[in-house]
Amino acid sequence: MNAHTKETQAAISPQNALELLKEGNKRFVEKDSADRDLLQQVAQTASGQYPFATILSCIDSRVSAELIFDQGVGDIFSARVAGNIVNEDILGSMEFACKLAGTKIIVVLGHTACGAVKGACDDAKMGNLTELLSKIKPAVDAVPEPADASQRNSGNIGFVNTVAEKNVQMTIDNIRTQSPVLKEMEDNGEILIVGGMYDISNGKVSYM
Ligand SMILES: [Zn+2]
C-alpha cells in the first residue's frame, strides 16, 4: 500500500474518508492489516504529506489511532490529549490539518474505561490535571442518570462510559462553536465531523 499523494487525497470525499477509517478498523479487528512497507512510505512522504483524516483521541496507551484504524505513514493527523477535549491549540492544529493540509474528516474518538473521564467523574485534583479535567466536567454534569450521588463516580463503569460518549458529543459542539473555520468547512461539505467510541475490550470503533 502506497502513501497518499496530492491526487489520491483530492479524490477522497468526506464520506469516502469515513469509509476508509471503517475499513481500516475492520482490518485491525480481523487481524487483516494492509500490506505496507512503512520505510517505503517514509520515502514516499519525504517531499510532502497528504493525509485524509484528522483523529482527536485520548493519550491512552491502548488507543493509538494509526494502529486501530490500520493506517500508515502520512495517512492521518493524530491529535491526542487526555480525555480528547479541545482547546485553542488543538483547534488550531485541526484547522491546519483540514484547511491547509486537506484532510476530509475529523473524528473525535472517545473510548471505554477512560481514565481522564474517571478522574472527572471523581472530581480528582492534581497539578495541571485539575484544569484539564475541568474541560470534561461539563459532560459529567450533562449526564442526568443515575441521580444517586453515590453512583456517579468511577466505580460505576456504565456511568463512566456514558459520560465519555457525552464528552465526545460536547467536544464536537465545542469544535463547531469555537472554530468558525471548521464550522464553515463542515457547512460547505468540505469535511465531516463525526464522533466515535473505541471499545478497549474488543478493538472496535462505533460511530455516533
Ligand atoms: Zn482516555
Side-chain angles (χ1 to χ4, degrees):
M1 184 172 277
N2 291 317
H4 282 287
T5 64
K6 191 174 178 61
E7 290 70 31
T8 64
Q9 184 200 49
I12 296 170
S13 71
Q15 195 62 44
N16 291 153
L18 178 58
E19 291 306 315
L20 288 173
L21 292 174
K22 286 182 176 177
E23 289 167 10
N25 182 242
K26 186 165 183 288
R27 290 195 302 271
F28 173 66
V29 171
E30 295 179 352
K31 295 204 286 186
D32 185 29
S33 296
D35 182 20
R36 58 170 66 84
D37 180 335
L38 291 176
L39 274 178
Q40 182 185 48
Q41 292 189 328
V42 168
Q44 289 171 340
T45 54
S47 57
Q49 60 171 339
Y50 303 96
F52 70 93
T54 299
I55 315 290
L56 171 61
S57 59
C58 183
I59 61 167
D60 194 292
S61 63
R62 299 163 289 187
V63 193
S64 164
E66 284 84 351
L67 294 177
I68 66 177
F69 289 111
D70 188 32
Q71 299 300 315
V73 175
D75 290 336
I76 62 173
F77 281 115
S78 182
R80 297 181 68 176
V81 61
N84 41 269
I85 49 86
V86 287
N87 59 20
E88 64 181 6
D89 303 312
I90 299 281
L91 288 170
S93 300
M94 289 178 161
E95 289 171 3
F96 168 77
C98 294
K99 190 73 179 181
L100 301 181
T103 64
K104 306 302 177 69
I105 188 170
I106 292 173
V107 179
V108 177
L109 186 67
H111 68 97
T112 58
C114 179
V117 171
K118 287 179 179 177
C121 290
D122 292 343
D123 205 18
K125 301 207 181 318
M126 185 202 75
N128 289 288
L129 188 58
T130 304
E131 172 63 22
L132 170 60
L133 296 185
S134 76
K135 294 183 170 68
I136 305 174
K137 283 287 285 182
V140 180
D141 298 336
V143 174
E145 300 291 335
D148 179 358
S150 70
Q151 296 297 310
R152 298 177 64 82
N153 55 54
S154 62
N156 182 349
I157 192 64
F159 178 64
V160 168
N161 292 340
T162 303
V163 171
E165 287 182 28
K166 177 62 75 174
N167 182 51
V168 168
Q169 292 164 356
M170 294 179 81
T171 296
I172 289 175
D173 291 343
N174 288 335
I175 292 170
R176 290 175 176 144
T177 56
Q178 295 170 26
S179 172
V181 170
L182 296 173
K183 176 76 166 67
E184 183 184 32
M185 290 189 78
E186 184 186 36
D187 290 346
N188 290 342
E190 297 169 274
I191 59 169
L192 276 181
I193 304 177
V194 303
M197 281 290 289
Y198 176 76
D199 188 329
I200 61 159
S201 72
N202 61 21
K204 291 182 182 170
V205 175
S206 57
Y207 294 88
M208 296 172 186

